[in-house]
Amino acid sequence: AIGAKHALIALILFGLVGPLPDTGAFAQGRNPFKAVEKRDRNGDGRLSPDEWHKSKKIFDKIDKDKDGFLSPEDFAKHWGIAVPASGAETSKQKRANKRHANNTSDLYFIDAHSQMDEDISEERVIQLMDEGGIYATLLAKHKRRSWASVLAFAKAYPKRIIPLIYTKLKNEDKRLEEIDEQYRSDKFKGVEEVLVWHGKKRNVAPQMVRDFDDWTTRKVIEISLKEGWPVVLHIEFQYMPADERVRLMAGLVKTLEAHPNHPFVLIHMAQLEAPDVGDLIQSHGNVYFMISQTNPGSNALKKGNPWKFVEMFNGQKRLLPRWRQLFKNHPERFIFALDSVFKFNWEHQHVRQMRLWRRVFQSFPPNVAHAIAHGNAERLWKLEPRSEAQNAKETNGNSFLLLAQI
């Protein structure tokens, strides 16, 4: 045993292995998460050079992975300490989160954006919503399903299905005509996403490139401003060429500034990473983000796909620290959504994603969990919250709580 100990010390001295992690370092006041949090002005969970007030030499020394930012992991490696197994929580935070979980037993979800093709029935959608713990879904038609059938579905389930105007016909003239026809029906509660830049997804979806001056975009913004509905923009910043990225970001900022009191929602996080999301939140009080297609259970992050979406989770299926911190700092800016589209999304991914998200939300303080899970959608789309009677019914043993135990 003594020989093994001396051999290990020699390896450390000669730099062949790193120093042993100091598992008691948190008790000594060295907390890598607090080191970031107290300096992190934009809430993205890491420090940029602008947020660092000491020398660049020290910054570069701590920046172990040389990505130009200081993360909790960088501080932990610099100090030679272990990061807690949860990825971002001290034992004190773990205990607090368990208490929070007890206060989110009445948590319910609103899926702020999904679609429905002709291959899945209304009854099956409601069944899957129940199994997944979704109280209400903002829903648009897809493929060959008629928009009239979505209205009929909403009429049958008025509190659970919120109908959205469909905007995706390929022919522009017919598209604008159909948007007008749906709007004149006076039965929709919002407009689904408008495709500003949508990359080709194999044979499933074509590439669609528009602009903020496109007729469809202008029509959707016009209707939404008139009705007080959020404008949901689909922009894939990671998937587009660099010059397009610069041009469309400028267009987005111009649009946000032109309508400072109207909410604009970026679906799929607009494929932006935490620093850019934090910067937009700090700069514009009217920008919101849908967290759809960002978890391991979604089709967008399926291995082998050539397109790029934001990955909010690590390999252990835990929310990454930078996103957790951003959610906690700005809970009023994030909106829960799944974006189930085809039958296989509903059948094979809907409930699986909900299991993952419910675990995440039960680790948040109640105000954060309730705001993102349903409160922000209710506020922006002017939806009636679930009644106390319905809350009591659902928390007495059905799938809403069963999911948390799976």
Side-chain angles (χ1 to χ4, degrees):
I2 295 176
K5 180 179 178 181
H6 287 169
L8 180 58
I9 292 172
L11 288 172
I12 293 172
L13 289 174
F14 285 99
L16 298 178
V17 300
L20 293 176
D22 180 5
T23 56
F26 282 95
Q28 300 170 16
R30 283 186 171 182
N31 185 326
F33 303 103
K34 288 185 178 180
V36 171
E37 184 178 348
K38 67 183 181 182
R39 302 175 175 91
D40 185 16
R41 294 196 304 270
N42 66 3
D44 66 356
R46 57 183 183 174
L47 302 181
S48 66
D50 291 337
E51 295 169 314
W52 181 254
H53 298 303
K54 296 185 179 181
S55 72
K56 184 179 183 300
K57 183 178 179 180
I58 296 176
F59 184 98
D60 292 341
K61 186 176 181 180
I62 299 174
D63 184 16
K64 299 300 182 182
D65 58 7
K66 304 304 177 187
D67 65 348
F69 295 90
L70 301 185
S71 65
E73 291 78 11
D74 287 327
F75 279 98
K77 290 178 182 178
H78 178 66
W79 289 331
I81 66 175
V83 179
S86 64
E89 298 171 339
T90 64
S91 58
K92 181 179 179 180
Q93 289 170 322
K94 287 181 184 178
R95 291 193 297 271
N97 283 337
K98 286 183 179 179
R99 292 196 299 271
H100 295 319
N102 294 331
N103 295 327
T104 56
S105 60
D106 62 343
L107 182 67
Y108 63 93
F109 288 79
I110 291 178
D111 176 3
H113 188 278
S114 272
Q115 303 165 67
M116 180 184 183
D117 66 15
E118 69 280 6
D119 295 327
I120 189 166
S121 69
E122 290 83 352
E123 293 77 11
R124 184 57 175 154
V125 166
I126 291 294
Q127 182 183 6
L128 288 166
M129 286 170 59
D130 286 341
E131 289 179 15
I134 300 286
Y135 172 63
T137 297
L138 281 74
L139 189 70
K141 62 149 278 187
H142 193 66
K143 289 176 68 178
R144 290 182 291 276
R145 176 173 287 277
S146 70
W147 56 263
S149 73
V150 173
L151 289 180
F153 190 12
K155 185 176 181 180
Y157 296 90
K159 293 184 182 296
R160 304 203 61 193
I161 300 299
I162 315 301
L164 300 178
I165 291 174
Y166 177 72
T167 66
K168 298 191 182 83
L169 275 180
K170 292 181 181 180
N171 182 282
E172 182 176 73
D173 291 336
K174 291 183 178 180
R175 184 192 319 129
L176 294 171
E177 182 180 330
E178 185 176 58
I179 291 173
D180 275 331
E181 186 179 1
Q182 292 173 87
Y183 179 54
R184 288 196 303 268
S185 75
D186 199 29
K187 295 180 180 178
F188 288 89
K189 304 299 182 183
V191 184
E192 67 154 346
E193 61 185 336
V194 58
L195 303 180
V196 178
W197 203 102
H198 182 281
K200 179 178 172 61
K201 309 296 189 296
R202 296 198 177 96
N203 296 323
V204 176
Q207 178 165 312
M208 294 187 183
V209 179
R210 301 195 183 107
D211 208 328
F212 290 94
D213 291 329
D214 177 86
W215 282 106
T216 301
T217 309
R218 290 166 59 183
K219 170 65 73 175
V220 167
I221 292 177
E222 175 190 342
I223 291 173
S224 300
L225 287 172
K226 184 176 180 180
E227 297 296 330
W229 296 337
V231 178
V232 181
L233 301 173
H234 183 121
I235 312 174
E236 300 179 7
F237 279 110
Q238 284 196 38
Y239 199 26
M240 66 180 67
D243 57 338
E244 285 283 275
R245 194 176 306 138
V246 172
R247 183 180 66 83
L248 286 176
M249 181 58 76
L252 172 62
V253 169
K254 181 180 178 181
T255 302
L256 292 172
E257 292 176 345
H259 309 285
N261 298 316
H262 193 84
F264 286 79
V265 180
L266 302 180
I267 194 170
H268 310 329
M269 307 298 296
Q271 296 185 349
L272 294 172
E273 293 294 345
D276 293 320
V277 171
D279 288 344
L280 282 171
I281 287 175
Q282 290 287 345
S283 301
H284 305 282
N286 58 335
V287 66
Y288 300 82
F289 295 87
M290 276 187 187
I291 63 175
S292 49
Q293 304 288 2
T294 60
N295 69 85
S298 69
N299 187 61
L301 295 180
K302 186 177 179 181
K303 289 184 178 180
N305 285 340
W307 49 86
K308 296 179 180 179
F309 279 77
V310 172
E311 295 189 46
M312 287 188 173
F313 290 73
N314 61 19
Q316 298 175 337
K317 296 186 178 181
R318 290 191 175 94
L319 195 65
L320 290 167
R322 57 180 175 272
W323 289 112
R324 178 177 291 276
Q325 194 62 50
L326 205 53
F327 283 8
K328 287 184 176 181
N329 288 353
H330 305 284
E332 75 286 354
R333 298 297 193 92
F334 297 96
I335 302 165
F336 181 79
L338 291 176
D339 191 37
S340 294
V341 180
F342 303 99
K343 181 180 179 179
F344 71 84
N345 299 134
W346 286 95
E347 292 285 1
H348 302 296
Q349 297 164 356
H350 198 81
V351 174
R352 183 173 62 184
Q353 291 185 73
M354 286 308 303
R355 289 171 181 163
L356 181 59
W357 279 121
R358 180 166 286 278
R359 291 191 189 103
V360 169
F361 277 73
Q362 286 190 326
S363 72
F364 282 131
N367 67 307
V368 175
H370 283 280
I372 302 175
H374 63 89
N376 294 333
E378 290 164 345
R379 173 168 54 89
L380 295 177
W381 278 271
K382 302 178 179 65
L383 305 178
E384 184 180 341
R386 196 173 71 174
S387 68
E388 291 185 10
Q390 188 71 13
N391 283 341
K393 176 183 176 182
E394 298 294 356
T395 53
N396 280 331
N398 78 353
S399 60
F400 282 72
L401 284 183
L402 293 175
L403 263 176
Q405 303 167 10
I406 297 175

